[in-house]
Amino acid sequence: MKKKLFALLMALVMVLSLAACGGNKGEDTPPAGNSGDTSGSGETSGGESAGTLPMGYDMETDTNYYGPYYDDWSDLSDEELYEKALNEDKDQTITVYATSSKMLKAEEPFEEMYPGLDLVVADLDSDEVLSKAQIENETNNITADVLQTKDVNGEVFHEYYANGVIEPFYPKDICSHIAEENLKYSYPLYSSQSFWYYNTAAFPDGQPITSWWQIIEKNDDGSQKYALYTKEIGQETAYLSLFASFIINAEEMAQSYKDIYGKDLEYTYDASSFAFEVPENNAGVEYLWRFTQAEMTFIGDGDELVLAVHNSTADRPALALASAGKIENRDESNYDIGWCINLTPYTGLLNTESMFVVQGCDSPAGARLFIRYITGGADCQSGGLKPFTKMGNWPLRDDFVDEKNPAKLAELGARSNDLVSIYNIYPDVQDMWMYWLNQ
């Protein structure tokens, strides 16, 4: 992984640069490349003092610190932000670039709650949200005020946030209801995850697996124990990031194997074919190798994935990797499906949808007011979370009453994403996957 170390250090240098030069995190920060005083040593454009962004790399302790970051904006109430928003430029329009069509449902109730403000939501693909924001930043022709997007491999954090295209907003009162580990890289809207599904009729006593290693088990005759269905993992950033995390947490993967089979893992992969350094005796790499050699059926549609599990039998059992929300087919279509939870070493990674302020936007107060609204407001009663409340989505506030999901997020065995470590090795993991899959 040596070739990625330089890229990682450069990204961290950019974060340090943002800390030194981007202390102006108050009102209407000019975008990267613009002239203007962003030294952070004086006042913001609104006359409010701003602190230094506490982000960077500690060379002595070899640790990273990121969020939550609290500035002058963090203490402002809804009422204070509303008053500021009414006095901002550009006819009080707040423009949101969103990756979820559900964000469109926020327009009317937000405008009713805050008369005089006009909310415009653009429903875009993930790539469009980021590319449009990047182009607007580079041309100093900024339209968006708010971005809603998901970061599963560190790209957003390292290439957009650290470069000053977007900036954080952490409302202190709301963040007091969110575990700090979920605030490290961004301010969350909600989290989701993927599960391995099993057939509940074929296994009436409960899920047939408790470890990732059991997914690729073989019978005594050498045949594969489970038929496996999934999307093509090499084209799914979230899934590749999950496999990257297994490599990062190799010791846990090795211990999981020993706990299941009572013996140490035997390493069988050959890393000699790669132009980059692949770690030796790494349980995560071994798992990646073995998984790519299993028989799998790739299906792009999540509903069809869980249908394949529903159609399986105890004699020919199947497992499918799909998003948590596909559990709705259990009630809507009477599918015999269930989640495999609390797998060792962990079930999966949290995929968190996050809210960002666009740096240099025309409506910095309105942007922050909307972010507070969409994440529940001060008392979690704003109604902003309602469109995103469904089975398979978990808002991360501890004062949110979840009536949709059959279990709390903490009970399912997922963990927060380490975007720095994953970003460092993600390209190599993708290369290994594609090469081994074709062998």
Side-chain angles (χ1 to χ4, degrees):
M1 311 303 171
K2 292 180 180 177
K3 74 170 188 175
K4 297 299 183 293
L5 180 60
F6 178 74
L8 175 60
L9 290 177
M10 286 301 295
L12 291 169
V13 167
M14 287 187 289
V15 175
L16 280 168
S17 175
L18 183 62
C21 301
N24 181 1
K25 289 290 181 181
E27 298 194 13
D28 205 7
T29 307
N34 280 10
S35 60
D37 180 10
T38 57
S39 65
S41 60
E43 301 276 319
T44 67
S45 61
E48 299 166 350
S49 62
T52 301
L53 189 62
M55 294 185 171
Y57 186 65
D58 187 332
M59 296 299 291
E60 294 183 2
T61 62
D62 196 34
T63 58
N64 295 284
Y65 178 79
Y66 299 97
Y69 162 60
Y70 298 119
D71 60 6
D72 293 329
W73 291 106
S74 301
D75 290 317
L76 296 183
S77 66
D78 295 327
E79 292 74 18
E80 291 170 319
L81 286 170
Y82 180 35
E83 182 179 355
K84 286 179 174 292
L86 288 172
N87 292 292
E88 288 179 327
D89 296 334
K90 300 291 183 180
D91 61 19
Q92 293 76 49
T93 297
I94 304 163
T95 301
V96 181
Y97 288 173
T99 60
S100 172
S101 60
K102 294 181 175 63
M103 193 68 72
L104 294 166
K105 296 181 180 180
E107 288 186 345
E108 186 174 338
F110 177 80
E111 292 172 353
E112 289 179 355
M113 183 173 290
Y114 297 105
L117 299 182
D118 180 25
L119 183 67
V120 177
V121 176
D123 177 21
L124 305 169
D125 293 335
S126 297
D127 290 343
E128 287 182 292
V129 165
L130 295 171
S131 64
K132 284 175 68 68
Q134 177 74 48
I135 292 170
E136 290 177 9
N137 179 273
E138 292 173 349
T139 61
N140 194 25
N141 186 27
I142 296 173
T143 298
D145 300 292
V146 178
L147 256 60
Q148 175 244 320
T149 190
K150 178 166 58 179
D151 192 6
V152 294
N153 68 347
E155 178 186 6
V156 175
F157 182 80
H158 288 89
E159 299 176 20
Y160 295 87
Y161 178 44
N163 286 332
V165 177
I166 50 180
E167 62 183 86
F169 170 53
Y170 289 104
K172 191 177 292 184
D173 55 344
I174 299 177
C175 288
S176 68
H177 294 285
I178 302 173
E180 190 162 305
E181 66 186 34
N182 295 320
L183 297 169
K184 183 175 182 180
Y185 300 107
S186 63
Y187 176 67
L189 176 59
Y190 67 87
S191 278
S192 61
Q193 67 179 98
S194 295
F195 291 99
W196 285 99
Y197 285 78
Y198 74 99
N199 187 302
T200 53
F203 299 97
D205 295 331
Q207 65 189 64
I209 59 171
T210 59
S211 167
W212 273 82
W213 292 102
Q214 293 172 315
I215 295 166
I216 53 175
E217 272 187 358
K218 294 185 177 180
N219 296 312
D220 293 338
D221 62 2
S223 61
Q224 197 165 295
K225 190 169 185 178
Y226 301 103
L228 301 181
Y229 296 88
T230 178
K231 294 182 178 180
E232 210 288 83
I233 290 173
Q235 300 176 9
E236 296 292 323
T237 307
Y239 291 167
L240 276 180
S241 296
L242 175 59
F243 278 80
S245 77
F246 291 154
I247 296 173
I248 294 162
N249 298 304
E251 291 184 2
E252 293 181 62
M253 289 294 289
Q255 186 62 50
S256 173
Y257 183 92
K258 189 171 185 177
D259 291 343
I260 292 293
Y261 301 111
K263 60 182 180 181
D264 290 333
L265 175 65
E266 179 183 355
Y267 297 94
T268 62
Y269 64 89
D270 178 10
S272 63
S273 300
F274 299 102
F276 48 86
E277 181 182 349
V278 176
E280 297 180 0
N281 296 339
N282 181 290
V285 176
E286 179 66 26
Y287 189 85
L288 179 65
W289 157 247
R290 295 191 186 189
F291 194 92
T292 60
Q293 301 311 295
E295 294 182 9
M296 288 173 282
T297 301
F298 295 138
I299 301 176
D301 183 84
D303 294 317
E304 293 183 14
L305 284 168
V306 295
L307 176 60
V309 171
H310 170 70
N311 289 333
S312 66
T313 64
D315 294 332
R316 301 187 66 181
L319 300 171
L321 183 61
S323 63
K326 296 306 174 183
I327 195 67
E328 291 182 335
N329 285 283
R330 180 183 57 186
D331 301 323
E332 296 176 358
S333 304
N334 295 317
Y335 285 5
D336 296 321
I337 55 174
W339 293 331
C340 294
I341 65 173
N342 290 314
L343 300 182
T344 60
Y346 44 91
T347 307
L349 297 178
L350 297 183
N351 298 321
T352 301
E353 296 285 351
S354 298
M355 305 300 300
F356 296 94
V357 176
V358 176
Q359 193 168 113
C361 66
D362 292 320
S363 303
R368 290 165 171 83
L369 176 64
F370 175 72
I371 289 173
R372 287 181 59 88
Y373 165 82
I374 203 67
T375 55
D379 57 2
C380 206
Q381 299 299 314
S382 71
L385 283 169
K386 185 176 180 180
F388 306 98
T389 304
K390 54 168 285 187
M391 197 174 296
N393 289 351
W394 286 269
L396 297 175
R397 296 180 59 151
D398 62 14
D399 56 348
F400 175 80
V401 179
D402 188 352
E403 298 177 345
K404 297 288 186 179
N405 285 296
K408 294 181 179 179
L409 193 60
E411 300 170 346
L412 302 174
R415 64 174 53 173
S416 299
N417 201 330
D418 181 355
L419 293 180
V420 169
S421 298
I422 287 176
Y423 182 80
N424 189 33
I425 70 169
Y426 179 87
D428 290 349
V429 175
Q430 189 172 39
D431 287 347
M432 285 188 285
W433 169 269
M434 297 303 296
Y435 180 78
W436 278 338
L437 184 68
N438 292 322
Q439 285 192 338

